[in-house]
Amino acid sequence: DPYSAEPTRHPALQINSLKPFNAEPPASILSDNYITPSVIFFKRNHLPVPRVDPEAYRLEIEGLPGGVVSLSLSELKSRFPKHTITATLQCAGNRRSEMNEVKQVKGLNWGIAAISNATWSGARLRDVLLSYGFGPEVAAKAKHVQFEGLDKDVTGTAYGASVPLNKAMSEEGDVLLAYEMNGEDLPPDHGYPVRVVVPGVVGARNVKWLGKIVVSDEESKSHWQQNDYKGFSPGTDWDTVDFKSAPAIQELPIQSAITHPAEGTSVDRSDGEVTVKGYAWSGGGREVVRVDVSVDGGKTWHVAQLRTSDQEQHPAPPPPPGRAWAWKLWEIDVPIPQRAQELEIVCKAVDSSYNTQPDTVAPIWNLRGVLSNAWHRVKVKVSE
Ligand code: MTE
Ligand code: MO
């Protein structure tokens, strides 16, 4: 069994698939922590978890003038400054289940919690490439940086992805070869000993168990870069889809969802108000600037309080423009409307480019069920 060496997992995780292991935390606990504890951070594996010996580990780098570089874990840790960022990872398939309700899509039936937030520490990819000869000649030809995992399928094909070279090399890109998550060694499920963290970019490009980096004029040839993780029109079906016709997803669109109260629960009229909580995040380093909440299906709106750390009294300093990699948690007490017997609670976020979320799912439905970011709606009863 290729899955015989899987790590043990936290029992609270809601399992979507066991082999490979895919799981998300219950939505109700997701917003309890600004920094998601690693044990409940969502886990998305396409293949068995490779168990890597840190002494034998080598990171190979190709495509630089000096030839192939081979770097040990201790060299990666000692030769380059350690840089720490707080960044949210979201799977392209987060909230796919809402697309399935419109019409069947292909993919894991994620709820709203295929997204989590952590601190990541490691070497800047930029520093590593510069130190091994990245310069104007390479920059003139190369357009992408490809990543290969040490996890392989039965044919020996590794998980792979790529990101644009300008993201990888930008001083403001904050792309890390991360060896720590939340202040500890990366857990096996999250890429031990090294993963690339590409903040602001879809989870799929944040390659875990990183074995190889290739600076190239081409995107990764992997299935996941070429024939998956792309968006299409609601009118495109499996008979007509041409994966070459759409770009690979990189930066994700604005997103928000309600973590509390839960669908189908009830609120007491005598409380006078309902407390609504959730998360909001946008891709590409765009900062969430506002979250609007409605309890009447979107007729009237209220502005939620945003939170940027685990201690409400000590908000994090605002991120530099274009480098808002971390989510915001939000909360608001909304008066319960007088005669309402049921509340349709809705949230939508706005980012620093004034992008906001579409109001319904149908117009953004797509056959792979990715990029699901419509207004999130939760219905609750009002009990007298
Ligand atoms: N990297 C490797 N090597 N293998 C994988 O299966 N899954 C990708 C990405 N990196 C994957 C990978 C996908 S689709 C996502 S959403 C994120 O890892 C999930 O990261 P997490 O498990 O740390 O939450
Ligand atoms: Mo993903």
Side-chain angles (χ1 to χ4, degrees), residues 44 46 91-93 203-204 229:
R44 204 286 177 243
H46 290 81
C91 182
Y229 296 112

Side-chain angles (χ1 to χ4, degrees), residues 60-378:
E60 292 199 342
I61 308 176
E62 291 177 14
L64 296 176
V68 179
V69 176
S70 174
L71 208 57
S72 71
L73 183 59
S74 59
E75 287 168 333
L76 181 70
K77 290 183 177 178
S78 61
R79 288 192 188 166
F80 304 96
K82 182 170 162 183
H83 186 67
T84 298
I85 61 170
T86 302
T88 297
L89 280 193
Q90 180 180 218
C91 182
N94 189 31
R95 301 181 60 195
R96 179 177 283 129
S97 53
E98 293 161 66
M99 285 202 172
N100 259 324
E101 283 163 25
V102 172
K103 203 168 99 185
Q104 182 74 49
V105 298
K106 209 181 265 186
L108 295 162
N109 204 33
W110 294 111
I112 65 163
I115 182 169
S116 303
N117 188 49
T119 64
W120 308 94
S121 305
R124 279 191 176 97
L125 175 58
R126 172 190 153 81
D127 293 345
V128 173
L129 295 183
L130 282 171
S131 88
Y132 293 110
F134 183 93
E137 316 95 271
V138 185
K141 288 196 216 113
K143 293 193 187 69
H144 305 275
V145 180
Q146 305 176 1
F147 306 111
E148 235 178 66
L150 295 167
D151 48 338
K152 296 187 167 79
D153 70 12
V154 286
T155 71
T157 308
Y159 184 85
S162 63
V163 299
L165 180 74
N166 58 358
K167 172 66 177 172
M169 290 306 297
S170 163
E171 277 187 86
E172 279 99 49
D174 292 323
V175 178
L176 297 187
L177 302 178
Y179 43 78
E180 286 178 14
M181 175 183 190
N182 294 338
E184 292 173 348
D185 285 352
L186 288 177
D189 267 322
H190 298 287
Y192 182 82
V194 179
R195 87 176 300 171
V196 60
V197 173
V198 191
V201 163
V202 65
R205 314 301 170 215
N206 291 248
V207 174
K208 305 191 275 191
W209 315 291
L210 186 64
K212 194 194 273 190
I213 299 172
V214 183
V215 180
S216 174
D217 58 343
E218 291 184 320
E219 280 189 282
S220 166
K221 287 271 187 282
S222 84
H223 166 80
W224 300 276
Q225 190 80 18
Q226 301 292 334
N227 296 320
D228 201 355
Y229 296 112
K230 294 187 172 189
F232 294 96
S233 162
T236 301
D237 61 25
W238 287 102
D239 296 329
T240 57
V241 66
D242 171 14
F243 270 92
K244 286 192 186 52
S245 69
I249 299 170
Q250 295 283 348
E251 294 181 354
L252 284 170
I254 178 89
Q255 177 68 289
S256 71
I258 299 159
T259 55
H260 180 90
E263 174 79 28
T265 55
S266 27
V267 298
D268 266 329
R269 170 159 336 265
S270 60
D271 290 344
E273 323 183 293
V274 51
T275 300
V276 186
K277 296 184 196 180
Y279 66 76
W281 179 77
S282 190
R286 288 175 289 275
E287 185 174 1
V288 169
V289 296
R290 202 182 76 226
V291 174
D292 298 328
V293 176
S294 171
V295 298
D296 56 12
K299 289 193 206 63
T300 60
W301 295 93
H302 310 263
V303 177
Q305 289 280 340
L306 305 178
R307 189 145 68 81
T308 58
S309 84
D310 269 320
Q311 299 140 289
E312 245 157 303
Q313 305 83 334
H314 301 285
R323 290 163 87 183
W325 311 127
W327 68 9
K328 294 193 182 177
L329 297 181
W330 54 265
E331 181 167 342
I332 185 172
D333 297 327
V334 184
I336 299 172
Q338 295 245 306
R339 273 175 296 275
Q341 292 178 319
E342 191 188 57
L343 305 180
E344 186 183 354
I345 307 175
V346 186
C347 74
K348 64 178 169 83
V350 178
D351 73 17
S352 52
S353 300
Y354 283 101
N355 293 305
T356 189
Q357 301 170 246
D359 57 350
T360 54
V361 182
I364 56 165
W365 184 95
N366 61 85
L367 75 181
R368 260 313 251 119
V370 292
L371 307 165
S372 184
N373 73 332
W375 296 0
H376 188 225
R377 297 164 192 265
V378 166

